[in-house]
Amino acid sequence: MNNSQPLLALVVPCYNEQEVILESLSALRALLKTMMSQKQISSNSYIVLVDDGSTDNTYSLLQTRRDKNTRIIKLAHNVGHQAALLAGLHYVTDKVDCCISIDADLQDDIEVMSEMVRHFCNGKQIVYGVRSNRDSDTLFKKGTASLFYQLMQQMGVPIIDNHADFRLVSNTVLKEFSKYKEVNLFLRGIFPQMGYPSSSVTYSRKKRNGGESKYPLWKMMKLAANGITSFTNYPLKIITNVGMIVFAGSLLAALWVVYVVIADKNVPGWASITLPIYFLGGIQLLSLGIIGEYISRIYLETKQRPFYHIEEIVE
């Protein structure tokens, strides 16, 4: 394949995007046409739209607008953003020089794709799209996002600040990525961990033109938990350390009890009994919950079920 005019695929997961999908598809096609005319990419480059079991008219709308530079993958049921993106990445492996993944709402700036391709032609195997600011987010979303990235990095998870799933990856990376079989996917951590030459481009994220976010707070929390448990056993170490601290505190408390008995300073009271019980009970339940999260992920990994089921591919 020719890196001077690389064959590029745009991988776009879609779930209930009927309000924006036609506008997004038109914008992506116009961009591809411009990049082709400027000899930045091969004229055979194309868009892969992965319908993640949409329950609205997304798939039927896509069918009415398909052309020779568009592929549509319809999944049999909703499997989630990461697995739908995975289906697209698997599809383009060994068919392109590189691919760029982007969400269907196009809040990420498609104009930086040309810069991503230039980085690839200069030898970079992964190019991350990184937000330069979070002005389009609410104050709450800014705070939780900042906490998310800080928490991940503190626990040793390889993650790029303010980067989601807007990235370019080469076919070399795609082939190596196909070796990953783990069920608990956290793509934002897997690609940085692979260690290939990488760079980043910055952009300002836009507001959503229609529809609703597919990553509300509870999904972000689930994604964070998945990332932590997939890449580090740090929470288990915290449990061990807390246990040691509580044990040491118990020894000190025992010495204090001996002292007050000998000194005849014992004062009866419910607080000295109930508070330690609630405290230790809370720690035990929290510890069991964290251990349970790891066990549940081991359970899912051992079943080795497929990530997705493809109902139809329209080429």
Side-chain angles (χ1 to χ4, degrees), residues 106-154:
L106 296 195
Q107 286 185 269
D108 300 313
D109 187 4
I110 64 174
E111 297 302 323
V112 301
M113 288 185 180
S114 295
E115 187 178 352
M116 286 179 161
V117 173
R118 284 196 295 272
H119 283 233
F120 167 72
C121 292
N122 290 329
K124 301 301 181 183
Q125 300 294 313
I126 306 175
V127 185
Y128 301 104
V130 177
R131 297 177 62 170
S132 58
N133 60 66
R134 307 193 71 94
D135 293 342
S136 61
D137 289 345
T138 63
L139 185 61
F140 178 76
K141 184 69 180 291
K142 289 179 184 178
T144 53
S146 176
L147 180 62
F148 170 78
Y149 288 106
Q150 290 179 22
L151 180 64
M152 291 298 221
Q153 291 168 349
Q154 286 294 322

mmCIF file of all heavy atoms in Angstrom, residues 106-154:
data_model
loop_
_atom_site.group_PDB
_atom_site.id
_atom_site.type_symbol
_atom_site.label_atom_id
_atom_site.label_comp_id
_atom_site.label_asym_id
_atom_site.label_seq_id
_atom_site.Cartn_x
_atom_site.Cartn_y
_atom_site.Cartn_z
ATOM 1 N N LEU A 106 -20.212 13.822 15.384
ATOM 2 C CA LEU A 106 -19.204 14.740 14.850
ATOM 3 C C LEU A 106 -18.942 15.942 15.752
ATOM 4 O O LEU A 106 -18.664 17.045 15.276
ATOM 5 C CB LEU A 106 -19.587 15.225 13.442
ATOM 6 C CG LEU A 106 -19.654 14.173 12.325
ATOM 7 C CD1 LEU A 106 -19.672 14.836 10.966
ATOM 8 C CD2 LEU A 106 -18.507 13.188 12.411
ATOM 9 N N GLN A 107 -19.013 15.719 17.056
ATOM 10 C CA GLN A 107 -18.577 16.772 17.973
ATOM 11 C C GLN A 107 -17.064 16.945 17.885
ATOM 12 O O GLN A 107 -16.547 18.029 18.149
ATOM 13 C CB GLN A 107 -18.991 16.431 19.406
ATOM 14 C CG GLN A 107 -20.468 16.598 19.688
ATOM 15 C CD GLN A 107 -20.800 16.358 21.148
ATOM 16 O OE1 GLN A 107 -21.116 15.249 21.553
ATOM 17 N NE2 GLN A 107 -20.735 17.415 21.936
ATOM 18 N N ASP A 108 -16.370 15.873 17.529
ATOM 19 C CA ASP A 108 -14.937 15.971 17.268
ATOM 20 C C ASP A 108 -14.734 16.643 15.909
ATOM 21 O O ASP A 108 -15.498 16.416 14.970
ATOM 22 C CB ASP A 108 -14.295 14.575 17.275
ATOM 23 C CG ASP A 108 -14.478 13.875 18.607
ATOM 24 O OD1 ASP A 108 -14.241 14.508 19.644
ATOM 25 O OD2 ASP A 108 -14.862 12.686 18.611
ATOM 26 N N ASP A 109 -13.708 17.459 15.796
ATOM 27 C CA ASP A 109 -13.486 18.283 14.612
ATOM 28 C C ASP A 109 -12.895 17.453 13.472
ATOM 29 O O ASP A 109 -11.733 17.051 13.517
ATOM 30 C CB ASP A 109 -12.558 19.440 14.970
ATOM 31 C CG ASP A 109 -12.406 20.434 13.852
ATOM 32 O OD1 ASP A 109 -13.079 20.269 12.812
ATOM 33 O OD2 ASP A 109 -11.606 21.374 13.996
ATOM 34 N N ILE A 110 -13.689 17.210 12.435
ATOM 35 C CA ILE A 110 -13.215 16.389 11.321
ATOM 36 C C ILE A 110 -12.138 17.091 10.500
ATOM 37 O O ILE A 110 -11.405 16.431 9.743
ATOM 38 C CB ILE A 110 -14.387 15.968 10.409
ATOM 39 C CG1 ILE A 110 -15.038 17.181 9.748
ATOM 40 C CG2 ILE A 110 -15.418 15.174 11.195
ATOM 41 C CD1 ILE A 110 -16.110 16.814 8.720
ATOM 42 N N GLU A 111 -12.004 18.406 10.651
ATOM 43 C CA GLU A 111 -11.013 19.142 9.866
ATOM 44 C C GLU A 111 -9.580 18.755 10.230
ATOM 45 O O GLU A 111 -8.663 18.957 9.426
ATOM 46 C CB GLU A 111 -11.202 20.652 10.059
ATOM 47 C CG GLU A 111 -12.551 21.175 9.560
ATOM 48 C CD GLU A 111 -12.795 20.889 8.088
ATOM 49 O OE1 GLU A 111 -11.825 20.953 7.308
ATOM 50 O OE2 GLU A 111 -13.948 20.601 7.729
ATOM 51 N N VAL A 112 -9.368 18.185 11.416
ATOM 52 C CA VAL A 112 -8.003 17.799 11.800
ATOM 53 C C VAL A 112 -7.626 16.429 11.243
ATOM 54 O O VAL A 112 -6.494 15.978 11.442
ATOM 55 C CB VAL A 112 -7.817 17.812 13.335
ATOM 56 C CG1 VAL A 112 -8.103 19.187 13.901
ATOM 57 C CG2 VAL A 112 -8.688 16.762 14.010
ATOM 58 N N MET A 113 -8.542 15.775 10.531
ATOM 59 C CA MET A 113 -8.208 14.474 9.958
ATOM 60 C C MET A 113 -7.071 14.570 8.943
ATOM 61 O O MET A 113 -6.246 13.662 8.836
ATOM 62 C CB MET A 113 -9.448 13.858 9.309
ATOM 63 C CG MET A 113 -10.488 13.362 10.302
ATOM 64 S SD MET A 113 -11.851 12.528 9.458
ATOM 65 C CE MET A 113 -12.881 12.062 10.856
ATOM 66 N N SER A 114 -7.039 15.657 8.197
ATOM 67 C CA SER A 114 -5.941 15.864 7.236
ATOM 68 C C SER A 114 -4.600 15.902 7.952
ATOM 69 O O SER A 114 -3.608 15.329 7.491
ATOM 70 C CB SER A 114 -6.151 17.169 6.460
ATOM 71 O OG SER A 114 -7.312 17.097 5.661
ATOM 72 N N GLU A 115 -4.570 16.576 9.096
ATOM 73 C CA GLU A 115 -3.342 16.649 9.888
ATOM 74 C C GLU A 115 -2.976 15.271 10.428
ATOM 75 O O GLU A 115 -1.795 14.902 10.483
ATOM 76 C CB GLU A 115 -3.518 17.646 11.028
ATOM 77 C CG GLU A 115 -2.238 17.927 11.809
ATOM 78 C CD GLU A 115 -2.431 18.952 12.900
ATOM 79 O OE1 GLU A 115 -3.527 19.568 12.968
ATOM 80 O OE2 GLU A 115 -1.496 19.125 13.712
ATOM 81 N N MET A 116 -3.995 14.488 10.840
ATOM 82 C CA MET A 116 -3.739 13.129 11.310
ATOM 83 C C MET A 116 -3.066 12.291 10.223
ATOM 84 O O MET A 116 -2.103 11.558 10.487
ATOM 85 C CB MET A 116 -5.050 12.468 11.723
ATOM 86 C CG MET A 116 -5.643 12.960 13.026
ATOM 87 S SD MET A 116 -7.210 12.106 13.376
ATOM 88 C CE MET A 116 -7.370 12.400 15.138
ATOM 89 N N VAL A 117 -3.579 12.404 8.999
ATOM 90 C CA VAL A 117 -3.012 11.642 7.887
ATOM 91 C C VAL A 117 -1.585 12.093 7.610
ATOM 92 O O VAL A 117 -0.708 11.258 7.298
ATOM 93 C CB VAL A 117 -3.895 11.792 6.629
ATOM 94 C CG1 VAL A 117 -3.228 11.158 5.419
ATOM 95 C CG2 VAL A 117 -5.259 11.143 6.874
ATOM 96 N N ARG A 118 -1.304 13.384 7.712
ATOM 97 C CA ARG A 118 0.072 13.873 7.513
ATOM 98 C C ARG A 118 1.011 13.262 8.551
ATOM 99 O O ARG A 118 2.139 12.869 8.232
ATOM 100 C CB ARG A 118 0.111 15.405 7.583
ATOM 101 C CG ARG A 118 -0.409 16.093 6.335
ATOM 102 C CD ARG A 118 0.009 17.553 6.303
ATOM 103 N NE ARG A 118 -0.592 18.329 7.369
ATOM 104 C CZ ARG A 118 -1.773 18.928 7.281
ATOM 105 N NH1 ARG A 118 -2.482 18.819 6.161
ATOM 106 N NH2 ARG A 118 -2.254 19.631 8.289
ATOM 107 N N HIS A 119 0.557 13.177 9.799
ATOM 108 C CA HIS A 119 1.367 12.559 10.836
ATOM 109 C C HIS A 119 1.645 11.093 10.493
ATOM 110 O O HIS A 119 2.749 10.590 10.699
ATOM 111 C CB HIS A 119 0.654 12.644 12.189
ATOM 112 C CG HIS A 119 0.725 13.993 12.827
ATOM 113 N ND1 HIS A 119 1.182 14.192 14.124
ATOM 114 C CD2 HIS A 119 0.400 15.227 12.371
ATOM 115 C CE1 HIS A 119 1.128 15.475 14.424
ATOM 116 N NE2 HIS A 119 0.654 16.128 13.373
ATOM 117 N N PHE A 120 0.621 10.411 9.973
ATOM 118 C CA PHE A 120 0.793 9.012 9.582
ATOM 119 C C PHE A 120 1.811 8.882 8.455
ATOM 120 O O PHE A 120 2.693 8.011 8.487
ATOM 121 C CB PHE A 120 -0.557 8.427 9.149
ATOM 122 C CG PHE A 120 -0.452 7.107 8.450
ATOM 123 C CD1 PHE A 120 -0.112 5.950 9.148
ATOM 124 C CD2 PHE A 120 -0.659 7.009 7.076
ATOM 125 C CE1 PHE A 120 0.002 4.726 8.505
ATOM 126 C CE2 PHE A 120 -0.550 5.794 6.426
ATOM 127 C CZ PHE A 120 -0.215 4.657 7.145
ATOM 128 N N CYS A 121 1.717 9.737 7.459
ATOM 129 C CA CYS A 121 2.660 9.693 6.335
ATOM 130 C C CYS A 121 4.079 10.019 6.780
ATOM 131 O O CYS A 121 5.056 9.631 6.124
ATOM 132 C CB CYS A 121 2.220 10.664 5.238
ATOM 133 S SG CYS A 121 0.691 10.178 4.403
ATOM 134 N N ASN A 122 4.220 10.709 7.916
ATOM 135 C CA ASN A 122 5.543 11.019 8.473
ATOM 136 C C ASN A 122 6.038 9.957 9.448
ATOM 137 O O ASN A 122 7.030 10.163 10.147
ATOM 138 C CB ASN A 122 5.520 12.386 9.165
ATOM 139 C CG ASN A 122 5.397 13.526 8.174
ATOM 140 O OD1 ASN A 122 5.867 13.429 7.039
ATOM 141 N ND2 ASN A 122 4.756 14.616 8.583
ATOM 142 N N GLY A 123 5.335 8.840 9.520
ATOM 143 C CA GLY A 123 5.838 7.704 10.289
ATOM 144 C C GLY A 123 5.131 7.381 11.586
ATOM 145 O O GLY A 123 5.501 6.411 12.255
ATOM 146 N N LYS A 124 4.115 8.139 11.955
ATOM 147 C CA LYS A 124 3.399 7.847 13.193
ATOM 148 C C LYS A 124 2.381 6.729 12.954
ATOM 149 O O LYS A 124 1.666 6.727 11.957
ATOM 150 C CB LYS A 124 2.683 9.089 13.734
ATOM 151 C CG LYS A 124 3.626 10.257 14.028
ATOM 152 C CD LYS A 124 4.698 9.892 15.036
ATOM 153 C CE LYS A 124 5.604 11.067 15.339
ATOM 154 N NZ LYS A 124 6.698 10.700 16.275
ATOM 155 N N GLN A 125 2.335 5.793 13.885
ATOM 156 C CA GLN A 125 1.428 4.660 13.760
ATOM 157 C C GLN A 125 0.080 4.901 14.446
ATOM 158 O O GLN A 125 -0.919 4.277 14.095
ATOM 159 C CB GLN A 125 2.075 3.400 14.352
ATOM 160 C CG GLN A 125 3.372 2.984 13.677
ATOM 161 C CD GLN A 125 3.152 2.534 12.245
ATOM 162 O OE1 GLN A 125 2.263 1.748 11.960
ATOM 163 N NE2 GLN A 125 3.948 3.057 11.338
ATOM 164 N N ILE A 126 0.077 5.785 15.446
ATOM 165 C CA ILE A 126 -1.150 6.164 16.142
ATOM 166 C C ILE A 126 -1.160 7.681 16.291
ATOM 167 O O ILE A 126 -0.145 8.271 16.687
ATOM 168 C CB ILE A 126 -1.256 5.519 17.543
ATOM 169 C CG1 ILE A 126 -1.099 3.997 17.469
ATOM 170 C CG2 ILE A 126 -2.587 5.871 18.200
ATOM 171 C CD1 ILE A 126 -1.067 3.312 18.823
ATOM 172 N N VAL A 127 -2.273 8.305 15.963
ATOM 173 C CA VAL A 127 -2.416 9.758 16.129
ATOM 174 C C VAL A 127 -3.686 9.997 16.939
ATOM 175 O O VAL A 127 -4.786 9.627 16.509
ATOM 176 C CB VAL A 127 -2.501 10.491 14.778
ATOM 177 C CG1 VAL A 127 -2.532 12.001 15.023
ATOM 178 C CG2 VAL A 127 -1.335 10.120 13.873
ATOM 179 N N TYR A 128 -3.529 10.606 18.112
ATOM 180 C CA TYR A 128 -4.657 10.831 19.008
ATOM 181 C C TYR A 128 -5.266 12.207 18.780
ATOM 182 O O TYR A 128 -4.551 13.206 18.649
ATOM 183 C CB TYR A 128 -4.200 10.741 20.473
ATOM 184 C CG TYR A 128 -3.576 9.423 20.841
ATOM 185 C CD1 TYR A 128 -2.188 9.305 20.979
ATOM 186 C CD2 TYR A 128 -4.358 8.293 21.050
ATOM 187 C CE1 TYR A 128 -1.607 8.098 21.315
ATOM 188 C CE2 TYR A 128 -3.788 7.087 21.388
ATOM 189 C CZ TYR A 128 -2.411 6.986 21.513
ATOM 190 O OH TYR A 128 -1.844 5.787 21.838
ATOM 191 N N GLY A 129 -6.601 12.257 18.743
ATOM 192 C CA GLY A 129 -7.307 13.524 18.738
ATOM 193 C C GLY A 129 -7.533 13.962 20.172
ATOM 194 O O GLY A 129 -8.203 13.266 20.941
ATOM 195 N N VAL A 130 -6.967 15.093 20.554
ATOM 196 C CA VAL A 130 -7.004 15.560 21.939
ATOM 197 C C VAL A 130 -7.735 16.897 22.017
ATOM 198 O O VAL A 130 -7.411 17.834 21.276
ATOM 199 C CB VAL A 130 -5.577 15.710 22.514
ATOM 200 C CG1 VAL A 130 -5.619 16.263 23.939
ATOM 201 C CG2 VAL A 130 -4.841 14.374 22.481
ATOM 202 N N ARG A 131 -8.695 16.974 22.915
ATOM 203 C CA ARG A 131 -9.444 18.209 23.096
ATOM 204 C C ARG A 131 -8.573 19.289 23.718
ATOM 205 O O ARG A 131 -7.895 19.061 24.715
ATOM 206 C CB ARG A 131 -10.667 17.965 23.975
ATOM 207 C CG ARG A 131 -11.671 17.006 23.375
ATOM 208 C CD ARG A 131 -12.833 16.743 24.309
ATOM 209 N NE ARG A 131 -13.591 17.954 24.605
ATOM 210 C CZ ARG A 131 -14.756 17.960 25.229
ATOM 211 N NH1 ARG A 131 -15.303 16.826 25.630
ATOM 212 N NH2 ARG A 131 -15.385 19.089 25.458
ATOM 213 N N SER A 132 -8.589 20.483 23.116
ATOM 214 C CA SER A 132 -7.800 21.588 23.657
ATOM 215 C C SER A 132 -8.499 22.283 24.811
ATOM 216 O O SER A 132 -7.869 22.947 25.626
ATOM 217 C CB SER A 132 -7.507 22.613 22.551
ATOM 218 O OG SER A 132 -8.719 23.105 22.000
ATOM 219 N N ASN A 133 -9.819 22.126 24.894
ATOM 220 C CA ASN A 133 -10.580 22.714 25.996
ATOM 221 C C ASN A 133 -11.888 21.946 26.137
ATOM 222 O O ASN A 133 -12.235 21.127 25.294
ATOM 223 C CB ASN A 133 -10.840 24.210 25.763
ATOM 224 C CG ASN A 133 -11.622 24.461 24.492
ATOM 225 O OD1 ASN A 133 -12.790 24.086 24.375
ATOM 226 N ND2 ASN A 133 -10.975 25.090 23.512
ATOM 227 N N ARG A 134 -12.626 22.239 27.196
ATOM 228 C CA ARG A 134 -13.915 21.596 27.438
ATOM 229 C C ARG A 134 -15.006 22.660 27.584
ATOM 230 O O ARG A 134 -15.896 22.560 28.426
ATOM 231 C CB ARG A 134 -13.851 20.718 28.695
ATOM 232 C CG ARG A 134 -12.712 19.712 28.693
ATOM 233 C CD ARG A 134 -12.877 18.668 29.780
ATOM 234 N NE ARG A 134 -13.954 17.760 29.488
ATOM 235 C CZ ARG A 134 -13.802 16.586 28.867
ATOM 236 N NH1 ARG A 134 -12.618 16.199 28.456
ATOM 237 N NH2 ARG A 134 -14.842 15.795 28.643
ATOM 238 N N ASP A 135 -14.912 23.713 26.749
ATOM 239 C CA ASP A 135 -15.860 24.818 26.846
ATOM 240 C C ASP A 135 -17.294 24.398 26.532
ATOM 241 O O ASP A 135 -18.247 25.048 26.977
ATOM 242 C CB ASP A 135 -15.442 25.950 25.897
ATOM 243 C CG ASP A 135 -14.140 26.609 26.339
ATOM 244 O OD1 ASP A 135 -13.761 26.425 27.516
ATOM 245 O OD2 ASP A 135 -13.498 27.284 25.506
ATOM 246 N N SER A 136 -17.454 23.335 25.743
ATOM 247 C CA SER A 136 -18.799 22.906 25.375
ATOM 248 C C SER A 136 -19.463 22.060 26.461
ATOM 249 O O SER A 136 -20.642 21.718 26.358
ATOM 250 C CB SER A 136 -18.750 22.103 24.067
ATOM 251 O OG SER A 136 -17.959 20.940 24.221
ATOM 252 N N ASP A 137 -18.709 21.731 27.521
ATOM 253 C CA ASP A 137 -19.235 20.887 28.594
ATOM 254 C C ASP A 137 -19.816 21.731 29.725
ATOM 255 O O ASP A 137 -19.433 22.891 29.919
ATOM 256 C CB ASP A 137 -18.133 19.993 29.170
ATOM 257 C CG ASP A 137 -17.708 18.895 28.212
ATOM 258 O OD1 ASP A 137 -18.446 18.658 27.239
ATOM 259 O OD2 ASP A 137 -16.651 18.294 28.435
ATOM 260 N N THR A 138 -20.712 21.128 30.472
ATOM 261 C CA THR A 138 -21.209 21.770 31.684
ATOM 262 C C THR A 138 -20.121 21.727 32.753
ATOM 263 O O THR A 138 -19.142 20.973 32.633
ATOM 264 C CB THR A 138 -22.458 21.050 32.201
ATOM 265 O OG1 THR A 138 -22.100 19.701 32.556
ATOM 266 C CG2 THR A 138 -23.549 21.029 31.142
ATOM 267 N N LEU A 139 -20.293 22.527 33.792
ATOM 268 C CA LEU A 139 -19.317 22.556 34.878
ATOM 269 C C LEU A 139 -19.190 21.180 35.523
ATOM 270 O O LEU A 139 -18.087 20.726 35.855
ATOM 271 C CB LEU A 139 -19.730 23.600 35.924
ATOM 272 C CG LEU A 139 -18.751 23.839 37.082
ATOM 273 C CD1 LEU A 139 -17.415 24.351 36.543
ATOM 274 C CD2 LEU A 139 -19.337 24.820 38.083
ATOM 275 N N PHE A 140 -20.324 20.498 35.675
ATOM 276 C CA PHE A 140 -20.311 19.155 36.267
ATOM 277 C C PHE A 140 -19.534 18.173 35.391
ATOM 278 O O PHE A 140 -18.723 17.392 35.874
ATOM 279 C CB PHE A 140 -21.743 18.660 36.464
ATOM 280 C CG PHE A 140 -21.848 17.270 37.024
ATOM 281 C CD1 PHE A 140 -21.608 17.027 38.367
ATOM 282 C CD2 PHE A 140 -22.173 16.206 36.197
ATOM 283 C CE1 PHE A 140 -21.689 15.740 38.884
ATOM 284 C CE2 PHE A 140 -22.261 14.919 36.705
ATOM 285 C CZ PHE A 140 -22.016 14.685 38.052
ATOM 286 N N LYS A 141 -19.771 18.239 34.054
ATOM 287 C CA LYS A 141 -19.087 17.333 33.132
ATOM 288 C C LYS A 141 -17.585 17.607 33.122
ATOM 289 O O LYS A 141 -16.768 16.676 33.060
ATOM 290 C CB LYS A 141 -19.663 17.509 31.722
ATOM 291 C CG LYS A 141 -19.085 16.556 30.691
ATOM 292 C CD LYS A 141 -19.511 15.130 30.942
ATOM 293 C CE LYS A 141 -18.930 14.172 29.910
ATOM 294 N NZ LYS A 141 -19.513 14.359 28.571
ATOM 295 N N LYS A 142 -17.202 18.881 33.199
ATOM 296 C CA LYS A 142 -15.774 19.214 33.244
ATOM 297 C C LYS A 142 -15.112 18.606 34.475
ATOM 298 O O LYS A 142 -14.027 18.033 34.406
ATOM 299 C CB LYS A 142 -15.596 20.741 33.270
ATOM 300 C CG LYS A 142 -15.916 21.451 31.979
ATOM 301 C CD LYS A 142 -15.715 22.954 32.146
ATOM 302 C CE LYS A 142 -16.126 23.701 30.898
ATOM 303 N NZ LYS A 142 -15.981 25.166 31.044
ATOM 304 N N GLY A 143 -15.803 18.765 35.629
ATOM 305 C CA GLY A 143 -15.242 18.258 36.878
ATOM 306 C C GLY A 143 -15.102 16.751 36.881
ATOM 307 O O GLY A 143 -14.061 16.210 37.272
ATOM 308 N N THR A 144 -16.151 16.046 36.430
ATOM 309 C CA THR A 144 -16.113 14.582 36.434
ATOM 310 C C THR A 144 -15.100 14.061 35.416
ATOM 311 O O THR A 144 -14.418 13.061 35.663
ATOM 312 C CB THR A 144 -17.503 13.991 36.126
ATOM 313 O OG1 THR A 144 -18.005 14.553 34.906
ATOM 314 C CG2 THR A 144 -18.462 14.296 37.254
ATOM 315 N N ALA A 145 -14.974 14.740 34.264
ATOM 316 C CA ALA A 145 -13.996 14.315 33.258
ATOM 317 C C ALA A 145 -12.575 14.479 33.784
ATOM 318 O O ALA A 145 -11.724 13.595 33.611
ATOM 319 C CB ALA A 145 -14.180 15.120 31.972
ATOM 320 N N SER A 146 -12.317 15.608 34.441
ATOM 321 C CA SER A 146 -10.992 15.837 35.019
ATOM 322 C C SER A 146 -10.666 14.785 36.073
ATOM 323 O O SER A 146 -9.555 14.239 36.121
ATOM 324 C CB SER A 146 -10.931 17.237 35.629
ATOM 325 O OG SER A 146 -9.696 17.456 36.273
ATOM 326 N N LEU A 147 -11.653 14.479 36.917
ATOM 327 C CA LEU A 147 -11.477 13.455 37.936
ATOM 328 C C LEU A 147 -11.218 12.097 37.301
ATOM 329 O O LEU A 147 -10.384 11.323 37.775
ATOM 330 C CB LEU A 147 -12.716 13.399 38.827
ATOM 331 C CG LEU A 147 -12.705 12.371 39.972
ATOM 332 C CD1 LEU A 147 -11.582 12.685 40.952
ATOM 333 C CD2 LEU A 147 -14.056 12.354 40.687
ATOM 334 N N PHE A 148 -11.927 11.798 36.208
ATOM 335 C CA PHE A 148 -11.783 10.529 35.493
ATOM 336 C C PHE A 148 -10.337 10.328 35.035
ATOM 337 O O PHE A 148 -9.729 9.292 35.308
ATOM 338 C CB PHE A 148 -12.735 10.530 34.294
ATOM 339 C CG PHE A 148 -12.537 9.389 33.332
ATOM 340 C CD1 PHE A 148 -13.013 8.125 33.620
ATOM 341 C CD2 PHE A 148 -11.891 9.589 32.125
ATOM 342 C CE1 PHE A 148 -12.851 7.080 32.732
ATOM 343 C CE2 PHE A 148 -11.716 8.553 31.232
ATOM 344 C CZ PHE A 148 -12.202 7.294 31.539
ATOM 345 N N TYR A 149 -9.773 11.319 34.343
ATOM 346 C CA TYR A 149 -8.419 11.180 33.820
ATOM 347 C C TYR A 149 -7.381 11.134 34.943
ATOM 348 O O TYR A 149 -6.422 10.359 34.887
ATOM 349 C CB TYR A 149 -8.104 12.326 32.854
ATOM 350 C CG TYR A 149 -8.838 12.201 31.534
ATOM 351 C CD1 TYR A 149 -9.929 13.017 31.229
ATOM 352 C CD2 TYR A 149 -8.463 11.249 30.592
ATOM 353 C CE1 TYR A 149 -10.615 12.894 30.034
ATOM 354 C CE2 TYR A 149 -9.137 11.120 29.386
ATOM 355 C CZ TYR A 149 -10.212 11.950 29.117
ATOM 356 O OH TYR A 149 -10.890 11.819 27.929
ATOM 357 N N GLN A 150 -7.569 11.954 35.976
ATOM 358 C CA GLN A 150 -6.629 11.950 37.098
ATOM 359 C C GLN A 150 -6.641 10.614 37.833
ATOM 360 O O GLN A 150 -5.586 10.073 38.188
ATOM 361 C CB GLN A 150 -6.967 13.082 38.065
ATOM 362 C CG GLN A 150 -6.674 14.473 37.523
ATOM 363 C CD GLN A 150 -7.053 15.567 38.504
ATOM 364 O OE1 GLN A 150 -7.161 15.332 39.702
ATOM 365 N NE2 GLN A 150 -7.271 16.771 38.006
ATOM 366 N N LEU A 151 -7.845 10.088 38.047
ATOM 367 C CA LEU A 151 -7.980 8.809 38.738
ATOM 368 C C LEU A 151 -7.305 7.695 37.951
ATOM 369 O O LEU A 151 -6.580 6.869 38.514
ATOM 370 C CB LEU A 151 -9.466 8.491 38.945
ATOM 371 C CG LEU A 151 -9.803 7.175 39.653
ATOM 372 C CD1 LEU A 151 -9.276 7.192 41.088
ATOM 373 C CD2 LEU A 151 -11.310 6.926 39.643
ATOM 374 N N MET A 152 -7.537 7.657 36.652
ATOM 375 C CA MET A 152 -6.935 6.627 35.808
ATOM 376 C C MET A 152 -5.407 6.691 35.858
ATOM 377 O O MET A 152 -4.731 5.675 36.003
ATOM 378 C CB MET A 152 -7.400 6.806 34.358
ATOM 379 C CG MET A 152 -8.860 6.502 34.163
ATOM 380 S SD MET A 152 -9.277 4.806 34.554
ATOM 381 C CE MET A 152 -10.395 4.411 33.260
ATOM 382 N N GLN A 153 -4.873 7.894 35.725
ATOM 383 C CA GLN A 153 -3.420 8.049 35.709
ATOM 384 C C GLN A 153 -2.806 7.717 37.061
ATOM 385 O O GLN A 153 -1.739 7.108 37.136
ATOM 386 C CB GLN A 153 -3.064 9.468 35.269
ATOM 387 C CG GLN A 153 -3.380 9.732 33.801
ATOM 388 C CD GLN A 153 -3.305 11.197 33.428
ATOM 389 O OE1 GLN A 153 -3.206 12.074 34.285
ATOM 390 N NE2 GLN A 153 -3.362 11.489 32.138
ATOM 391 N N GLN A 154 -3.478 8.099 38.144
ATOM 392 C CA GLN A 154 -2.969 7.789 39.483
ATOM 393 C C GLN A 154 -2.912 6.285 39.718
ATOM 394 O O GLN A 154 -2.042 5.791 40.445
ATOM 395 C CB GLN A 154 -3.854 8.445 40.548
ATOM 396 C CG GLN A 154 -3.682 9.947 40.664
ATOM 397 C CD GLN A 154 -2.300 10.341 41.155
ATOM 398 O OE1 GLN A 154 -1.729 9.685 42.019
ATOM 399 N NE2 GLN A 154 -1.749 11.410 40.591
#
